Amino acid sequence: MQHAANLVGRKIARLRYQKGWTQDTLVAKLQLLQCDITRDILANIELRRSVATDKHCCFLAIALSVPIDELFRP
């Protein structure tokens, strides 16, 4: 079950929304950090259709300016 394997998707979407960023904005910031991600991949992570890799989590925390453990908090 993919939903059970993805703990960070909703939190990523919430943090992105709080910053007023679109998915495209966050993807651009991630790509500047050399993270190979597309808007489709991000959308699937946020919707919990795909899991976020450990690499994605690290880059997402940096791009969103939060400690990595923040992604796992409810």
Side-chain angles (χ1 to χ4, degrees):
M1 174 185 274
Q2 289 289 359
H3 288 287
N6 180 330
L7 301 174
V8 300
R10 289 186 178 163
K11 186 62 176 255
I12 292 165
R14 189 175 311 122
L15 290 167
R16 178 181 59 74
Y17 180 78
Q18 288 172 352
K19 290 186 175 289
W21 295 350
T22 64
Q23 288 178 336
D24 287 324
T25 300
L26 180 52
V27 166
K29 291 178 182 298
L30 290 164
Q31 289 176 346
L32 286 173
L33 294 170
Q34 304 301 311
C35 179
D36 187 24
I37 192 168
T38 64
R39 195 201 62 76
D40 286 339
I41 292 170
L42 178 62
N44 282 327
I45 290 170
E46 287 186 356
L47 293 171
R48 300 174 64 193
R49 286 188 267 193
S50 298
V51 296
T53 66
D54 53 350
K55 180 181 172 183
H56 286 148
C57 289
C58 289
F59 280 115
L60 284 157
I62 293 167
L64 292 164
S65 300
V66 296
I68 195 163
D69 64 324
E70 178 67 26
L71 299 180
F72 296 92
R73 292 183 195 150

